[in-house]
Amino acid sequence: MSTHPPLSPAKRWLGLALIATAQFVVIMDTSIIGVALPDIQHDLGFTPESLSWVFNAYVVAFGGLLLLGGRLSDAFGARKIFALGWIILIAGSLLAGAADSVALELAGRAVQGAGSALIAPAALTLLMMIFGGTSDLPKAFAVYGAAAPIGGTAGVFLGGVLTEYASWPWVFYVTIPIALIVLAFTATALPRTTRKASGSIDIAGAVTVTAGLAAIVYAIVNAPEVGWLTLATLGVLAAGIILLVIFFIIQARSRNPLLRLGLLREPLLGAANGAQLLLGAAWVSMWFFLNLYLQQVLGVSAFAAGAALLPMTGLVVLVMIAVAPRLQARFGAKALIVSGLLVLAAGLGWLSLIRPDGNYVVDVLPASLVAALGMSLAFVPSLGTAISAAPPAETGVASGLVSTSYQIGSALGLAVLTAIVYGISGADASAVELTAGYSAAFIGAGILALLGAIVTAIAMTTPRASASASDSSIGRETVGTH
């Protein structure tokens, strides 16, 4: 990476605002469609089983291409890839909003995901460039980390407002003015980087990992409709697994792989990515089915459903910015990740007690706040640990890998739990049957969070001396001695 003149304090914090906005938007675009799903289903003709693909088309493209985004960021410069990602995101948002069929809607969501896959790892690389080695790095990382769950919960609220008072296409169009504002300040507020691509970019790896993940998610989502033991399910599932095996073979033989397999031997990186994968599976599944419970069982409007989850946003902001960093400095990342996942599991277990004739204050609010507290405690320490475990030259790849873990965990977790929900409730289900299905989904998500806590407690070890020596200050701040 070429050197660049230091930014003024004002530009550094403006740069952080752009980077946090990027994280906010790419996560918001996963959640903003939640309360709009019933309207999208009605207008475009989605079946109940296929409806989750409005979410999954984005997440599979996002998660499947994140490693490519990280590699491109390392090869051609983070700022260039950051700007390119926003341009692609604008194109996808236009297509998704204007779609008049299922196929166009899913294509638009996939293009949105591809743009986000370039934005996310480039944003993390730029953050490390601006604040790496400074005393402000932990604060910058907390702001960045808080932007993700804030984007998720704020997207639910904003989606409700737009669906209620405008129409569902605006849940996609709203991204466009934000993108234009970010692009207007990118050249002046973010550092210019120049990297020469060393050899070819691993396009074959990008294609195989994305196709493999998409096949696995499709097989799981489609299984309740065609049967778990049919050729349509087992064949597609086997094809997905074979494609992922081919991906790893390509990575092992390539001179310029998307993912250097030696990175996976770093225990801290593996443990933190495992925590992010299971955290995404539990958290995203929670908001998806909680939105459906509020609208389809309790009968609240799209706006009310979004507003009902707004208290989680306030709690996430408070804990992420003011509480979690202090607890992490005192107890270390491992303790905070394990505790956060356990609290998330407890909140999900509480949510599983929902009733067909329940109400917001009793059935939703307290349990959702407990779950949000757990998410807030676990997210930033696991994210920071994963990135700090990689060598500085591979920050883009490491950020792509950890973002991939979270997004693919979200997609696979939601796919499995969607299959469980509609396996229990079936088509044209009553409120009682839907509640039973959603309750089972919350139990399943709680088990995933609990599994994440167990994996972290066992797998996250004190870094080796050699690894510690190469860690950045955020790594020392994040990992601690636990």
Side-chain angles (χ1 to χ4, degrees):
M1 179 190 306
S2 64
T3 58
H4 54 85
L7 298 173
S8 66
K11 284 190 175 181
R12 289 172 65 213
W13 294 110
L14 177 57
L16 177 62
L18 297 183
I19 291 166
T21 299
Q23 176 75 335
F24 176 90
V25 168
V26 300
I27 301 301
M28 180 190 74
D29 279 344
T30 68
S31 66
I32 196 169
I33 53 95
V35 294
L37 287 175
D39 286 357
I40 294 173
Q41 178 182 358
H42 177 269
D43 289 351
L44 299 185
F46 282 91
T47 66
E49 293 82 5
S50 67
L51 186 61
S52 65
W53 273 99
V54 181
F55 171 84
N56 285 330
Y58 177 90
V59 171
V60 170
F62 185 13
L65 294 172
L66 273 165
L67 290 176
L68 178 61
R71 176 76 175 98
L72 292 173
S73 178
D74 287 337
F76 296 110
R79 195 175 77 177
K80 291 179 182 177
I81 300 304
F82 184 78
L84 177 61
W86 284 105
I87 294 170
I88 295 173
L89 182 61
I90 289 172
S93 300
L94 285 170
L95 180 57
D100 59 1
S101 68
V102 169
L104 284 178
E105 182 61 41
L106 297 184
R109 288 292 282 166
V111 174
Q112 280 190 308
S116 296
L118 300 184
I119 293 169
L124 267 174
T125 300
L126 289 164
L127 184 147
M128 297 298 290
M129 289 173 58
I130 296 172
F131 292 96
T134 72
S135 60
D136 289 325
L137 183 57
K139 184 187 300 183
F141 216 82
V143 171
Y144 173 87
I150 293 171
T153 51
V156 173
F157 175 73
L158 186 58
V161 173
L162 292 172
T163 303
E164 184 83 4
Y165 295 107
S167 59
W168 65 260
W170 283 97
V171 303
F172 305 113
Y173 294 149
V174 71
T175 298
I176 297 172
I178 300 174
L180 293 174
I181 293 171
V182 171
L183 285 171
F185 288 98
T186 292
T188 56
L190 296 176
R192 181 175 181 271
T193 58
T194 303
R195 285 180 182 246
K196 292 184 178 180
S198 55
S200 60
I201 300 300
D202 183 13
I203 300 299
V207 170
T208 52
V209 70
T210 304
L213 292 169
I216 291 172
V217 173
Y218 177 82
I220 296 173
V221 170
N222 202 42
E225 187 172 351
V226 302
W228 283 95
L229 299 179
T230 62
L231 180 61
T233 297
L234 297 179
V236 175
L237 190 61
I241 294 172
I242 290 171
L243 284 168
L244 293 184
V245 171
I246 293 172
F247 166 73
F248 282 106
I249 293 173
I250 292 172
Q251 302 314 289
R253 296 181 176 180
S254 175
R255 290 185 177 183
N256 299 285
L258 288 182
L259 174 63
R260 183 174 62 83
L261 297 184
L263 275 178
L264 301 180
R265 291 194 290 269
E266 169 54 54
L268 277 176
L269 185 142
N273 273 275
Q276 281 276 310
L277 185 144
L278 291 165
L279 182 62
W283 175 256
V284 172
S285 297
M286 183 203 78
W287 72 254
F288 184 87
F289 292 112
L290 193 53
N291 272 296
L292 293 179
Y293 169 72
L294 287 168
Q295 292 188 70
Q296 296 183 351
V297 176
L298 298 190
V300 304
S301 66
F303 173 78
L309 302 182
L310 195 58
M312 289 198 297
T313 304
L315 182 63
V316 166
V317 172
L318 175 65
V319 175
M320 282 267 191
I321 302 298
V323 178
R326 296 181 182 180
L327 293 176
Q328 184 176 324
R330 181 171 181 180
F331 299 107
K334 178 178 178 178
L336 212 59
I337 297 169
V338 172
S339 299
L341 286 165
L342 289 175
V343 173
L344 176 58
L348 287 163
W350 193 349
L351 274 174
S352 72
L353 302 178
I354 53 173
R355 300 165 296 161
D357 58 347
N359 65 76
Y360 170 70
V361 174
V362 174
D363 294 83
V364 175
L365 179 60
S368 67
L369 290 177
V370 171
L373 173 62
M375 168 62 170
S376 304
L377 294 175
F379 185 84
V380 172
S382 55
L383 183 67
T385 300
I387 295 172
S388 67
E394 294 180 291
T395 300
V397 173
S399 60
L401 179 60
V402 69
S403 298
T404 298
S405 297
Y406 184 86
Q407 295 302 327
I408 293 305
S410 303
L412 292 178
L414 182 58
V416 171
L417 295 177
T418 296
I420 292 174
V421 167
Y422 292 108
I424 292 174
S425 61
D428 301 320
S430 66
V432 173
E433 292 168 330
L434 283 173
T435 302
Y438 298 150
S439 176
F442 294 137
I443 292 174
I447 292 172
L448 292 173
L450 181 60
L451 180 60
I454 294 171
V455 168
T456 303
I458 295 173
M460 187 169 285
T461 59
T462 303
R464 299 186 302 271
S466 60
S468 299
S470 65
D471 280 348
S472 64
S473 59
I474 186 63
R476 293 189 293 271
E477 183 78 22
T478 301
V479 175
T481 58
H482 294 265

